[in-house]
Amino acid sequence: MQIQRVGVVGAGTMGNGIAHVFARSGYAVTLFDVEQRFLDRALDVIAKNLARETAKAKITAEQEAAALERIMPVLDRSRLGDCDFIIEAATEKFEIKAEIFRDLDRIARADIVLASNTSSISITKLGALTQRPAQVIGMHFFNPVPIMKLVEVIRGLATSQSTYNVVRDLAIALDKTPVEVNDAPGFVSNRVLMPLLNEAMYAVMEGVATAPAVDEVFKLGMAHPMGPLTLADFIGLDVCLDIMRVLHAGLGDPKYRPCPLLIKMVDAGWLGKKSGRGFYQY
Ligand SMILES: NC(=O)c1ccc[n+]([C@@H]2O[C@H](COP(=O)([O-])OP(=O)(O)OC[C@H]3O[C@@H](n4cnc5c(N)ncnc54)[C@H](O)[C@@H]3O)[C@@H](O)[C@H]2O)c1
């Protein structure tokens, strides 16, 4: 099947980036969110990011205008009915995604693939809520979507090879690099990254080193572009804690126990960059 129109559910940080890259690659995009102000904000961000790409001569002014033209914002979910592929990038709560997947299964053509951009929710579980578990898959983009090359492609237990092929080919068409993984808590990216950040927090909590010292070790010694505590502040400490809890509950190994300092900071409302305070002040 030729994919021409792509549906994106959720127009937040990731949804607007996903709409941006599909539109830039020539796909028509139907962008859905629950309130007009979220759609307006997303189109604003996309317009600014496309203009920046034009200023840097990555695309031409004509390509910028054409990409924006291809994005159709909608508040009525039934308008996703004519999409050839749909990716969900709504809030990371199981109940929200469960309701969306049940409804998309009803609205979308029976032959199309439904993907989720979730960072931690089980693809197998989302697939089981639909009548098409073989056509449900994870397509995990990274922030900022227009820049980051990786797409982690996650197979649920029931995901078929042809569904995998659809998403692999789409990722390549977007000039991304797909990497195949199986469904497991945290997939590969967060299963490996989050324990690193968590361990860095233990080092600070135990007084092994200050946050800037831990970050310097990783920047200068391991050539990481930013240290683990800066990265945790950027991701959001609440998000880090949620993911550690998913790993701890899902894998059952005490090595995934969230750092008590992380729990305390989240309780204090110190969520990192977005709240003005985390391991650093912003
Ligand atoms: N932010 C990241 O760095 C990152 C990276 C990879 C994956 N993810 C995943 O991407 C998804 C979205 O994350 P985000 O950071 O863009 O969140 P966000 O909070 O910026 O955006 C979520 C959007 O979903 C919308 N939404 C809520 N309920 C909805 C519904 N029922 N139908 C349609 N839209 C609805 C919200 O209005 C909001 O605009 C999550 O699953 C998250 O785990 C995030």
Side-chain angles (χ1 to χ4, degrees), residues 133-178:
Q135 291 155 246
V136 173
I137 192 164
M139 187 178 195
H140 188 200
F141 287 89
F142 288 75
N143 188 22
V145 180
I147 293 167
M148 301 299 275
K149 286 297 258 186
L150 176 64
V151 175
E152 207 178 19
V153 184
I154 302 117
R155 284 176 186 267
L157 192 60
T159 307
S160 70
Q161 183 63 38
S162 61
T163 297
Y164 174 78
N165 293 347
V166 166
V167 171
R168 177 200 59 200
D169 294 349
L170 274 177
I172 292 169
L174 298 177
D175 200 24
K176 304 287 182 200
T177 305

mmCIF file of all heavy atoms in Angstrom, residues 133-178:
data_model
loop_
_atom_site.group_PDB
_atom_site.id
_atom_site.type_symbol
_atom_site.label_atom_id
_atom_site.label_comp_id
_atom_site.label_asym_id
_atom_site.label_seq_id
_atom_site.Cartn_x
_atom_site.Cartn_y
_atom_site.Cartn_z
ATOM 1 N N PRO A 133 -3.933 -6.650 16.353
ATOM 2 C CA PRO A 133 -2.652 -6.640 17.083
ATOM 3 C C PRO A 133 -1.437 -6.851 16.187
ATOM 4 O O PRO A 133 -0.353 -6.353 16.489
ATOM 5 C CB PRO A 133 -2.809 -7.788 18.092
ATOM 6 C CG PRO A 133 -3.971 -8.585 17.624
ATOM 7 C CD PRO A 133 -4.860 -7.668 16.855
ATOM 8 N N ALA A 134 -1.615 -7.531 15.046
ATOM 9 C CA ALA A 134 -0.481 -7.752 14.140
ATOM 10 C C ALA A 134 -0.055 -6.452 13.469
ATOM 11 O O ALA A 134 1.057 -6.337 12.954
ATOM 12 C CB ALA A 134 -0.849 -8.789 13.086
ATOM 13 N N GLN A 135 -0.962 -5.456 13.479
ATOM 14 C CA GLN A 135 -0.672 -4.177 12.808
ATOM 15 C C GLN A 135 -0.405 -3.051 13.808
ATOM 16 O O GLN A 135 -0.562 -1.881 13.486
ATOM 17 C CB GLN A 135 -1.857 -3.786 11.924
ATOM 18 C CG GLN A 135 -2.026 -4.674 10.721
ATOM 19 C CD GLN A 135 -3.467 -4.647 10.249
ATOM 20 O OE1 GLN A 135 -4.167 -5.662 10.313
ATOM 21 N NE2 GLN A 135 -3.941 -3.498 9.795
ATOM 22 N N VAL A 136 -0.021 -3.409 15.030
ATOM 23 C CA VAL A 136 0.322 -2.395 16.041
ATOM 24 C C VAL A 136 1.805 -2.529 16.359
ATOM 25 O O VAL A 136 2.324 -3.637 16.523
ATOM 26 C CB VAL A 136 -0.554 -2.561 17.307
ATOM 27 C CG1 VAL A 136 -0.096 -1.624 18.415
ATOM 28 C CG2 VAL A 136 -2.027 -2.305 16.964
ATOM 29 N N ILE A 137 2.497 -1.378 16.447
ATOM 30 C CA ILE A 137 3.961 -1.380 16.559
ATOM 31 C C ILE A 137 4.436 -0.109 17.261
ATOM 32 O O ILE A 137 3.704 0.890 17.293
ATOM 33 C CB ILE A 137 4.578 -1.499 15.133
ATOM 34 C CG1 ILE A 137 6.073 -1.798 15.182
ATOM 35 C CG2 ILE A 137 4.273 -0.262 14.285
ATOM 36 C CD1 ILE A 137 6.646 -2.307 13.859
ATOM 37 N N GLY A 138 5.633 -0.145 17.806
ATOM 38 C CA GLY A 138 6.231 1.063 18.383
ATOM 39 C C GLY A 138 7.122 1.733 17.351
ATOM 40 O O GLY A 138 7.910 1.073 16.671
ATOM 41 N N MET A 139 6.965 3.062 17.215
ATOM 42 C CA MET A 139 7.849 3.850 16.348
ATOM 43 C C MET A 139 8.340 4.989 17.230
ATOM 44 O O MET A 139 7.673 6.012 17.379
ATOM 45 C CB MET A 139 7.080 4.358 15.117
ATOM 46 C CG MET A 139 7.976 5.039 14.097
ATOM 47 S SD MET A 139 7.047 5.563 12.632
ATOM 48 C CE MET A 139 8.400 5.878 11.487
ATOM 49 N N HIS A 140 9.489 4.772 17.859
ATOM 50 C CA HIS A 140 9.965 5.644 18.940
ATOM 51 C C HIS A 140 10.995 6.633 18.405
ATOM 52 O O HIS A 140 12.140 6.270 18.159
ATOM 53 C CB HIS A 140 10.562 4.748 20.044
ATOM 54 C CG HIS A 140 10.933 5.465 21.295
ATOM 55 N ND1 HIS A 140 11.814 4.950 22.219
ATOM 56 C CD2 HIS A 140 10.539 6.659 21.795
ATOM 57 C CE1 HIS A 140 11.950 5.792 23.220
ATOM 58 N NE2 HIS A 140 11.194 6.837 22.995
ATOM 59 N N PHE A 141 10.518 7.879 18.222
ATOM 60 C CA PHE A 141 11.397 8.964 17.773
ATOM 61 C C PHE A 141 12.094 9.574 18.987
ATOM 62 O O PHE A 141 11.663 9.397 20.119
ATOM 63 C CB PHE A 141 10.568 10.062 17.092
ATOM 64 C CG PHE A 141 10.040 9.699 15.729
ATOM 65 C CD1 PHE A 141 8.811 9.060 15.586
ATOM 66 C CD2 PHE A 141 10.755 10.019 14.591
ATOM 67 C CE1 PHE A 141 8.307 8.742 14.334
ATOM 68 C CE2 PHE A 141 10.263 9.712 13.319
ATOM 69 C CZ PHE A 141 9.039 9.077 13.197
ATOM 70 N N PHE A 142 13.133 10.367 18.707
ATOM 71 C CA PHE A 142 13.888 11.005 19.786
ATOM 72 C C PHE A 142 13.830 12.525 19.633
ATOM 73 O O PHE A 142 13.662 13.036 18.527
ATOM 74 C CB PHE A 142 15.321 10.441 19.815
ATOM 75 C CG PHE A 142 15.297 9.029 20.334
ATOM 76 C CD1 PHE A 142 14.838 7.987 19.535
ATOM 77 C CD2 PHE A 142 15.620 8.753 21.657
ATOM 78 C CE1 PHE A 142 14.724 6.702 20.038
ATOM 79 C CE2 PHE A 142 15.510 7.468 22.159
ATOM 80 C CZ PHE A 142 15.066 6.435 21.348
ATOM 81 N N ASN A 143 13.940 13.207 20.747
ATOM 82 C CA ASN A 143 13.759 14.647 20.815
ATOM 83 C C ASN A 143 15.111 15.369 20.653
ATOM 84 O O ASN A 143 16.048 14.988 21.356
ATOM 85 C CB ASN A 143 13.140 14.968 22.194
ATOM 86 C CG ASN A 143 12.714 16.401 22.332
ATOM 87 O OD1 ASN A 143 12.477 17.092 21.356
ATOM 88 N ND2 ASN A 143 12.622 16.866 23.562
ATOM 89 N N PRO A 144 15.224 16.371 19.806
ATOM 90 C CA PRO A 144 14.243 16.935 18.868
ATOM 91 C C PRO A 144 14.127 16.100 17.585
ATOM 92 O O PRO A 144 15.145 15.792 16.949
ATOM 93 C CB PRO A 144 14.816 18.331 18.562
ATOM 94 C CG PRO A 144 16.270 18.282 18.911
ATOM 95 C CD PRO A 144 16.499 17.137 19.840
ATOM 96 N N VAL A 145 12.900 15.777 17.244
ATOM 97 C CA VAL A 145 12.638 14.833 16.146
ATOM 98 C C VAL A 145 13.270 15.250 14.804
ATOM 99 O O VAL A 145 13.835 14.406 14.110
ATOM 100 C CB VAL A 145 11.111 14.599 15.977
ATOM 101 C CG1 VAL A 145 10.836 13.619 14.849
ATOM 102 C CG2 VAL A 145 10.488 14.113 17.264
ATOM 103 N N PRO A 146 13.200 16.547 14.421
ATOM 104 C CA PRO A 146 13.774 16.885 13.105
ATOM 105 C C PRO A 146 15.292 16.655 13.042
ATOM 106 O O PRO A 146 15.847 16.570 11.956
ATOM 107 C CB PRO A 146 13.444 18.383 12.949
ATOM 108 C CG PRO A 146 12.270 18.601 13.851
ATOM 109 C CD PRO A 146 12.499 17.694 15.028
ATOM 110 N N ILE A 147 15.938 16.540 14.193
ATOM 111 C CA ILE A 147 17.404 16.431 14.207
ATOM 112 C C ILE A 147 17.899 15.015 14.511
ATOM 113 O O ILE A 147 18.844 14.532 13.880
ATOM 114 C CB ILE A 147 17.976 17.434 15.239
ATOM 115 C CG1 ILE A 147 17.709 18.861 14.738
ATOM 116 C CG2 ILE A 147 19.475 17.211 15.474
ATOM 117 C CD1 ILE A 147 17.925 19.933 15.760
ATOM 118 N N MET A 148 17.265 14.339 15.452
ATOM 119 C CA MET A 148 17.803 13.046 15.903
ATOM 120 C C MET A 148 17.541 11.949 14.864
ATOM 121 O O MET A 148 16.426 11.805 14.367
ATOM 122 C CB MET A 148 17.186 12.650 17.254
ATOM 123 C CG MET A 148 17.453 13.666 18.345
ATOM 124 S SD MET A 148 19.212 13.886 18.685
ATOM 125 C CE MET A 148 19.468 12.555 19.818
ATOM 126 N N LYS A 149 18.578 11.173 14.566
ATOM 127 C CA LYS A 149 18.514 10.195 13.470
ATOM 128 C C LYS A 149 17.807 8.896 13.846
ATOM 129 O O LYS A 149 17.324 8.170 12.982
ATOM 130 C CB LYS A 149 19.944 9.816 13.039
ATOM 131 C CG LYS A 149 20.653 10.876 12.253
ATOM 132 C CD LYS A 149 19.979 11.168 10.933
ATOM 133 C CE LYS A 149 20.665 10.547 9.754
ATOM 134 N NZ LYS A 149 20.026 10.997 8.490
ATOM 135 N N LEU A 150 17.803 8.563 15.132
ATOM 136 C CA LEU A 150 17.325 7.235 15.535
ATOM 137 C C LEU A 150 15.803 7.120 15.561
ATOM 138 O O LEU A 150 15.112 8.019 16.030
ATOM 139 C CB LEU A 150 17.865 6.911 16.942
ATOM 140 C CG LEU A 150 17.377 5.589 17.554
ATOM 141 C CD1 LEU A 150 17.854 4.385 16.758
ATOM 142 C CD2 LEU A 150 17.834 5.459 19.007
ATOM 143 N N VAL A 151 15.300 5.982 15.053
ATOM 144 C CA VAL A 151 13.924 5.558 15.336
ATOM 145 C C VAL A 151 14.024 4.127 15.861
ATOM 146 O O VAL A 151 14.492 3.223 15.154
ATOM 147 C CB VAL A 151 13.024 5.592 14.081
ATOM 148 C CG1 VAL A 151 11.653 5.019 14.400
ATOM 149 C CG2 VAL A 151 12.872 7.019 13.559
ATOM 150 N N GLU A 152 13.647 3.950 17.128
ATOM 151 C CA GLU A 152 13.634 2.605 17.708
ATOM 152 C C GLU A 152 12.299 1.978 17.269
ATOM 153 O O GLU A 152 11.235 2.532 17.546
ATOM 154 C CB GLU A 152 13.698 2.745 19.240
ATOM 155 C CG GLU A 152 14.314 1.607 19.988
ATOM 156 C CD GLU A 152 14.370 1.872 21.505
ATOM 157 O OE1 GLU A 152 13.646 2.742 22.031
ATOM 158 O OE2 GLU A 152 15.149 1.180 22.170
ATOM 159 N N VAL A 153 12.376 0.860 16.558
ATOM 160 C CA VAL A 153 11.143 0.232 16.055
ATOM 161 C C VAL A 153 10.870 -0.986 16.936
ATOM 162 O O VAL A 153 11.686 -1.915 16.995
ATOM 163 C CB VAL A 153 11.287 -0.183 14.580
ATOM 164 C CG1 VAL A 153 9.967 -0.740 14.060
ATOM 165 C CG2 VAL A 153 11.720 1.011 13.725
ATOM 166 N N ILE A 154 9.726 -0.951 17.633
ATOM 167 C CA ILE A 154 9.469 -1.967 18.657
ATOM 168 C C ILE A 154 8.372 -2.921 18.215
ATOM 169 O O ILE A 154 7.224 -2.522 17.981
ATOM 170 C CB ILE A 154 9.080 -1.291 19.989
ATOM 171 C CG1 ILE A 154 10.204 -0.347 20.437
ATOM 172 C CG2 ILE A 154 8.812 -2.332 21.071
ATOM 173 C CD1 ILE A 154 9.792 1.073 20.506
ATOM 174 N N ARG A 155 8.748 -4.189 18.164
ATOM 175 C CA ARG A 155 7.781 -5.229 17.819
ATOM 176 C C ARG A 155 7.074 -5.707 19.072
ATOM 177 O O ARG A 155 7.736 -6.176 20.011
ATOM 178 C CB ARG A 155 8.521 -6.459 17.295
ATOM 179 C CG ARG A 155 9.057 -6.381 15.915
ATOM 180 C CD ARG A 155 9.804 -7.692 15.718
ATOM 181 N NE ARG A 155 10.525 -7.739 14.474
ATOM 182 C CZ ARG A 155 10.023 -8.250 13.342
ATOM 183 N NH1 ARG A 155 8.811 -8.740 13.307
ATOM 184 N NH2 ARG A 155 10.759 -8.281 12.254
ATOM 185 N N GLY A 156 5.732 -5.644 19.075
ATOM 186 C CA GLY A 156 4.963 -6.302 20.126
ATOM 187 C C GLY A 156 4.978 -7.803 19.845
ATOM 188 O O GLY A 156 5.429 -8.244 18.777
ATOM 189 N N LEU A 157 4.470 -8.583 20.785
ATOM 190 C CA LEU A 157 4.487 -10.039 20.617
ATOM 191 C C LEU A 157 3.769 -10.455 19.334
ATOM 192 O O LEU A 157 4.182 -11.395 18.655
ATOM 193 C CB LEU A 157 3.834 -10.688 21.847
ATOM 194 C CG LEU A 157 3.996 -12.188 21.990
ATOM 195 C CD1 LEU A 157 5.480 -12.566 22.068
ATOM 196 C CD2 LEU A 157 3.265 -12.683 23.244
ATOM 197 N N ALA A 158 2.684 -9.728 18.998
ATOM 198 C CA ALA A 158 1.870 -10.133 17.836
ATOM 199 C C ALA A 158 2.216 -9.373 16.560
ATOM 200 O O ALA A 158 1.636 -9.641 15.505
ATOM 201 C CB ALA A 158 0.391 -9.914 18.175
ATOM 202 N N THR A 159 3.142 -8.415 16.634
ATOM 203 C CA THR A 159 3.430 -7.573 15.455
ATOM 204 C C THR A 159 3.954 -8.421 14.291
ATOM 205 O O THR A 159 4.881 -9.218 14.461
ATOM 206 C CB THR A 159 4.476 -6.487 15.818
ATOM 207 O OG1 THR A 159 4.030 -5.778 16.960
ATOM 208 C CG2 THR A 159 4.691 -5.514 14.662
ATOM 209 N N SER A 160 3.385 -8.197 13.098
ATOM 210 C CA SER A 160 3.786 -9.006 11.940
ATOM 211 C C SER A 160 5.014 -8.427 11.249
ATOM 212 O O SER A 160 5.354 -7.244 11.423
ATOM 213 C CB SER A 160 2.636 -9.072 10.934
ATOM 214 O OG SER A 160 2.466 -7.800 10.346
ATOM 215 N N GLN A 161 5.634 -9.250 10.432
ATOM 216 C CA GLN A 161 6.801 -8.802 9.661
ATOM 217 C C GLN A 161 6.408 -7.691 8.690
ATOM 218 O O GLN A 161 7.153 -6.727 8.511
ATOM 219 C CB GLN A 161 7.405 -10.002 8.899
ATOM 220 C CG GLN A 161 8.669 -9.649 8.128
ATOM 221 C CD GLN A 161 9.812 -9.186 9.041
ATOM 222 O OE1 GLN A 161 9.994 -9.709 10.131
ATOM 223 N NE2 GLN A 161 10.558 -8.194 8.594
ATOM 224 N N SER A 162 5.207 -7.806 8.079
ATOM 225 C CA SER A 162 4.849 -6.770 7.102
ATOM 226 C C SER A 162 4.628 -5.428 7.809
ATOM 227 O O SER A 162 4.948 -4.365 7.257
ATOM 228 C CB SER A 162 3.649 -7.191 6.251
ATOM 229 O OG SER A 162 2.549 -7.386 7.072
ATOM 230 N N THR A 163 4.113 -5.462 9.045
ATOM 231 C CA THR A 163 3.960 -4.212 9.809
ATOM 232 C C THR A 163 5.331 -3.626 10.112
ATOM 233 O O THR A 163 5.567 -2.424 9.960
ATOM 234 C CB THR A 163 3.198 -4.497 11.128
ATOM 235 O OG1 THR A 163 1.902 -4.960 10.787
ATOM 236 C CG2 THR A 163 3.094 -3.271 12.007
ATOM 237 N N TYR A 164 6.251 -4.494 10.520
ATOM 238 C CA TYR A 164 7.618 -4.033 10.783
ATOM 239 C C TYR A 164 8.194 -3.378 9.524
ATOM 240 O O TYR A 164 8.781 -2.291 9.584
ATOM 241 C CB TYR A 164 8.516 -5.194 11.253
ATOM 242 C CG TYR A 164 9.941 -4.735 11.377
ATOM 243 C CD1 TYR A 164 10.345 -3.983 12.479
ATOM 244 C CD2 TYR A 164 10.860 -4.962 10.353
ATOM 245 C CE1 TYR A 164 11.635 -3.483 12.569
ATOM 246 C CE2 TYR A 164 12.146 -4.459 10.443
ATOM 247 C CZ TYR A 164 12.530 -3.731 11.546
ATOM 248 O OH TYR A 164 13.795 -3.230 11.617
ATOM 249 N N ASN A 165 7.995 -4.023 8.375
ATOM 250 C CA ASN A 165 8.551 -3.501 7.130
ATOM 251 C C ASN A 165 7.993 -2.107 6.791
ATOM 252 O O ASN A 165 8.714 -1.243 6.306
ATOM 253 C CB ASN A 165 8.256 -4.452 5.962
ATOM 254 C CG ASN A 165 8.996 -5.783 6.124
ATOM 255 O OD1 ASN A 165 9.890 -5.906 6.964
ATOM 256 N ND2 ASN A 165 8.612 -6.768 5.333
ATOM 257 N N VAL A 166 6.687 -1.920 7.061
ATOM 258 C CA VAL A 166 6.064 -0.615 6.779
ATOM 259 C C VAL A 166 6.778 0.483 7.566
ATOM 260 O O VAL A 166 7.153 1.535 7.027
ATOM 261 C CB VAL A 166 4.552 -0.641 7.158
ATOM 262 C CG1 VAL A 166 3.961 0.760 7.213
ATOM 263 C CG2 VAL A 166 3.769 -1.515 6.180
ATOM 264 N N VAL A 167 7.009 0.216 8.860
ATOM 265 C CA VAL A 167 7.587 1.256 9.717
ATOM 266 C C VAL A 167 9.080 1.444 9.424
ATOM 267 O O VAL A 167 9.582 2.573 9.401
ATOM 268 C CB VAL A 167 7.311 0.928 11.198
ATOM 269 C CG1 VAL A 167 8.076 1.855 12.125
ATOM 270 C CG2 VAL A 167 5.820 1.051 11.462
ATOM 271 N N ARG A 168 9.758 0.356 9.148
ATOM 272 C CA ARG A 168 11.180 0.457 8.767
ATOM 273 C C ARG A 168 11.316 1.333 7.504
ATOM 274 O O ARG A 168 12.123 2.255 7.454
ATOM 275 C CB ARG A 168 11.729 -0.952 8.492
ATOM 276 C CG ARG A 168 13.182 -0.959 8.004
ATOM 277 C CD ARG A 168 13.502 -2.250 7.299
ATOM 278 N NE ARG A 168 12.613 -2.446 6.145
ATOM 279 C CZ ARG A 168 12.379 -3.615 5.553
ATOM 280 N NH1 ARG A 168 12.945 -4.704 5.986
ATOM 281 N NH2 ARG A 168 11.557 -3.694 4.513
ATOM 282 N N ASP A 169 10.461 1.062 6.500
ATOM 283 C CA ASP A 169 10.546 1.820 5.248
ATOM 284 C C ASP A 169 10.165 3.286 5.446
ATOM 285 O O ASP A 169 10.753 4.181 4.830
ATOM 286 C CB ASP A 169 9.652 1.185 4.172
ATOM 287 C CG ASP A 169 10.173 -0.203 3.778
ATOM 288 O OD1 ASP A 169 11.307 -0.553 4.180
ATOM 289 O OD2 ASP A 169 9.430 -0.941 3.098
ATOM 290 N N LEU A 170 9.181 3.526 6.321
ATOM 291 C CA LEU A 170 8.800 4.919 6.601
ATOM 292 C C LEU A 170 9.959 5.656 7.261
ATOM 293 O O LEU A 170 10.273 6.795 6.901
ATOM 294 C CB LEU A 170 7.593 4.962 7.545
ATOM 295 C CG LEU A 170 6.207 4.877 6.930
ATOM 296 C CD1 LEU A 170 5.155 4.851 8.030
ATOM 297 C CD2 LEU A 170 5.936 6.049 5.977
ATOM 298 N N ALA A 171 10.603 5.016 8.234
ATOM 299 C CA ALA A 171 11.723 5.664 8.926
ATOM 300 C C ALA A 171 12.812 6.028 7.913
ATOM 301 O O ALA A 171 13.358 7.138 7.948
ATOM 302 C CB ALA A 171 12.272 4.749 10.026
ATOM 303 N N ILE A 172 13.090 5.119 6.994
ATOM 304 C CA ILE A 172 14.125 5.379 5.984
ATOM 305 C C ILE A 172 13.690 6.538 5.069
ATOM 306 O O ILE A 172 14.475 7.422 4.748
ATOM 307 C CB ILE A 172 14.436 4.097 5.183
ATOM 308 C CG1 ILE A 172 15.119 3.083 6.123
ATOM 309 C CG2 ILE A 172 15.314 4.389 3.970
ATOM 310 C CD1 ILE A 172 15.239 1.674 5.551
ATOM 311 N N ALA A 173 12.394 6.552 4.710
ATOM 312 C CA ALA A 173 11.888 7.631 3.853
ATOM 313 C C ALA A 173 12.000 8.996 4.551
ATOM 314 O O ALA A 173 12.096 10.031 3.901
ATOM 315 C CB ALA A 173 10.436 7.356 3.467
ATOM 316 N N LEU A 174 11.999 8.975 5.886
ATOM 317 C CA LEU A 174 12.135 10.231 6.641
ATOM 318 C C LEU A 174 13.601 10.583 6.870
ATOM 319 O O LEU A 174 13.910 11.524 7.602
ATOM 320 C CB LEU A 174 11.445 10.092 8.012
ATOM 321 C CG LEU A 174 9.944 9.835 8.015
ATOM 322 C CD1 LEU A 174 9.440 9.661 9.452
ATOM 323 C CD2 LEU A 174 9.186 10.955 7.323
ATOM 324 N N ASP A 175 14.507 9.779 6.266
ATOM 325 C CA ASP A 175 15.940 9.993 6.438
ATOM 326 C C ASP A 175 16.393 9.719 7.872
ATOM 327 O O ASP A 175 17.295 10.359 8.396
ATOM 328 C CB ASP A 175 16.310 11.423 6.009
ATOM 329 C CG ASP A 175 17.786 11.545 5.696
ATOM 330 O OD1 ASP A 175 18.395 10.512 5.374
ATOM 331 O OD2 ASP A 175 18.336 12.660 5.795
ATOM 332 N N LYS A 176 15.707 8.757 8.505
ATOM 333 C CA LYS A 176 16.088 8.319 9.858
ATOM 334 C C LYS A 176 16.699 6.928 9.754
ATOM 335 O O LYS A 176 16.566 6.247 8.728
ATOM 336 C CB LYS A 176 14.856 8.257 10.769
ATOM 337 C CG LYS A 176 14.069 9.540 10.873
ATOM 338 C CD LYS A 176 14.782 10.564 11.700
ATOM 339 C CE LYS A 176 13.991 11.853 11.864
ATOM 340 N NZ LYS A 176 14.846 12.972 12.245
ATOM 341 N N THR A 177 17.285 6.489 10.866
ATOM 342 C CA THR A 177 17.849 5.145 10.908
ATOM 343 C C THR A 177 17.024 4.283 11.860
ATOM 344 O O THR A 177 17.014 4.534 13.069
ATOM 345 C CB THR A 177 19.316 5.195 11.381
ATOM 346 O OG1 THR A 177 20.017 6.085 10.521
ATOM 347 C CG2 THR A 177 19.957 3.823 11.357
ATOM 348 N N PRO A 178 16.297 3.287 11.313
ATOM 349 C CA PRO A 178 15.501 2.426 12.192
ATOM 350 C C PRO A 178 16.378 1.372 12.866
ATOM 351 O O PRO A 178 17.283 0.836 12.227
ATOM 352 C CB PRO A 178 14.506 1.761 11.230
ATOM 353 C CG PRO A 178 15.181 1.790 9.893
ATOM 354 C CD PRO A 178 16.119 2.958 9.885
#
